[in-house]
Amino acid sequence: MLDLRRLVVICEFARRGSIVATAESLGYSPSAVSQQLVALERETGTALIDRTARSAELTDAGRRLVAHAERILSMVEEAESDLSAHAGTPSGRVVVTAFPTAAVAFAPALARSLRRHTELTLRLGQSRSGRGMREVQSGEVDIALVDDWYGRVRDSENLRVFTLLRDPLVLVVPRKHRLADPDVPVDLRELRDEPWMATPDGEPSRLAVDRLLVDVGGTKPTPWEFEGLGTILSLVAKGIGIAAVPALALAAGVRGLAVRQFPGNPVGRDVHAVARGSSVNRPAVSVTLRAIHVAARYIAADLDPVHPAERPSDDEGAGDDPTGDRRDRSARGAMGRAFGE
């Protein structure tokens, strides 16, 4: 009988590529990982790892076992989810990861919404763009909030993708800048020679800014580059330059900024929640996904103000409002139905 814990170890080894990295990921010592893999080889009666003095890699048999192990572990998680779904009460720990601006924007609403589930604990961490889906796939986290600049994030055999909101690029300028006046039209051609600030070359938000400005010939050859959108916003607030940032970055609440929309259909990104299909029916994961969706509706209302006709009537209750705000509550029914509420 194959040991499930050892199957977890060999799957993690397949993802990490080394004994040391596997040990760091699982919280084991390298010798403990090696011992687990050796024991798994005894259980299967075949060599699974090709070891040399400086490296180790999977054999053909090891790769075949990993393929089987991933399916087995997914089925085990699905069975656990089915049993806990019938138990009904959300409990245990849910691990969520998010790109930094989403973590800041979603954290308050999630904390308020989930605190009534006294048997549920939430861990919300941050990950760099592109890592979230891999962390869900590997089982390191239950849910990832990921950004998608090119429409490439889709459901897969093992992953479910839930679209949350559209996050457009907006122009941020100092309060004393001429474009702080909403009556002054935004003309990208007139902004080419402004002191632009952006994230480093190759970052997704930087590529989006380059796409935005390509039709007007781009900015000066070398814009000022800074790590972190929060840093860029603070510099704009101090009057040092201007920037184009995703609107979600404004959730940090930096003072001293004026925000303008770009003309036409501006470049933007979609924000998604991603979870394993085998876990979405587990009550703890399901209730967290619902809380994320509700939070997204309120955040989206801040990014793009709701038309008055879509605002809720005064007689609607505010008891389930996770943000302390009463906007856009009418959308919650459809979102709840998407998660079986």
Side-chain angles (χ1 to χ4, degrees), residues 197-269:
M197 291 180 290
T199 53
D201 193 26
E203 289 286 326
S205 61
R206 170 64 179 278
L207 295 174
V209 173
D210 291 344
R211 286 166 55 200
L212 176 74
L213 297 170
V214 67
D215 290 339
V216 296
T219 62
K220 291 182 177 179
T222 308
W224 297 357
E225 297 182 346
F226 299 93
E227 287 279 1
L229 294 174
T231 299
I232 290 173
L233 290 176
S234 66
L235 292 171
V236 172
K238 289 177 169 54
I240 297 173
I242 68 172
V245 302
L248 200 61
L250 301 172
V254 178
R255 297 177 179 272
L257 298 172
V259 182
R260 299 292 307 277
Q261 293 183 340
F262 287 107
N265 186 23
V267 174
R269 61 183 173 182

Side-chain angles (χ1 to χ4, degrees), residues 62-143:
R63 284 188 284 272
R64 289 197 299 273
L65 178 60
V66 166
H68 288 298
E70 288 176 342
R71 290 194 295 271
I72 291 168
L73 294 172
S74 177
M75 292 174 66
V76 169
E77 182 176 43
E78 189 172 353
E80 292 173 341
S81 296
D82 179 67
L83 292 174
S84 62
H86 285 83
T89 301
S91 61
R93 187 187 196 191
V94 176
V95 181
V96 180
T97 189
F99 57 96
T101 51
V104 172
F106 278 82
L110 283 181
R112 281 190 288 263
S113 181
L114 295 176
R115 63 188 174 188
R116 68 179 182 271
H117 300 288
T118 56
E119 297 182 31
L120 176 68
T121 59
L122 170 70
R123 176 184 173 186
L124 174 60
Q126 296 187 12
S127 60
R128 292 184 65 84
S129 181
R131 286 187 52 85
M133 293 186 71
R134 293 195 295 271
E135 291 174 344
V136 173
Q137 183 77 56
S138 69
E140 296 171 74
V141 303
D142 298 300
I143 302 167

Side-chain angles (χ1 to χ4, degrees), residues 131-303:
R131 286 187 52 85
M133 293 186 71
R134 293 195 295 271
E135 291 174 344
V136 173
Q137 183 77 56
S138 69
E140 296 171 74
V141 303
D142 298 300
I143 302 167
L145 302 182
V146 302
D147 55 355
D148 180 13
W149 291 95
Y150 299 100
R152 296 173 180 170
V153 178
R154 295 285 187 272
D155 285 351
S156 67
E157 182 180 355
N158 299 319
L159 299 181
R160 294 280 305 280
V161 175
F162 305 95
T163 299
L164 300 176
L165 55 87
R166 179 70 174 173
D167 185 21
L169 283 183
V170 295
L171 176 68
V172 289
V173 300
R175 280 283 177 83
K176 295 184 178 180
H177 194 279
R178 62 184 179 82
L179 285 177
D181 181 352
D183 293 329
V184 176
V186 175
D187 186 339
L188 287 176
R189 296 182 187 280
E190 295 181 0
L191 296 175
R192 288 190 66 245
D193 294 330
E194 292 271 356
W196 283 85
M197 291 180 290
T199 53
D201 193 26
E203 289 286 326
S205 61
R206 170 64 179 278
L207 295 174
V209 173
D210 291 344
R211 286 166 55 200
L212 176 74
L213 297 170
V214 67
D215 290 339
V216 296
T219 62
K220 291 182 177 179
T222 308
W224 297 357
E225 297 182 346
F226 299 93
E227 287 279 1
L229 294 174
T231 299
I232 290 173
L233 290 176
S234 66
L235 292 171
V236 172
K238 289 177 169 54
I240 297 173
I242 68 172
V245 302
L248 200 61
L250 301 172
V254 178
R255 297 177 179 272
L257 298 172
V259 182
R260 299 292 307 277
Q261 293 183 340
F262 287 107
N265 186 23
V267 174
R269 61 183 173 182
D270 293 315
V271 179
H272 308 287
V274 181
R276 291 181 299 281
S278 56
S279 74
V280 294
N281 291 323
R282 181 157 59 95
V285 173
S286 179
V287 75
T288 304
L289 283 169
R290 286 200 297 270
I292 288 170
H293 247 298
V294 171
R297 300 299 295 186
Y298 289 97
I299 292 168
D302 285 334
L303 300 185

Side-chain angles (χ1 to χ4, degrees), residues 19-20 23 28-38:
I19 298 291
V20 171
Y28 297 160
S29 67
S31 61
V33 169
S34 294
Q35 291 169 13
Q36 291 293 311
L37 293 174
V38 168

Side-chain angles (χ1 to χ4, degrees), residues 304-316:
D304 184 13
V306 179
H307 188 277
E310 297 176 341
R311 293 184 182 274
S313 61
D314 290 340
D315 59 357
E316 290 188 58

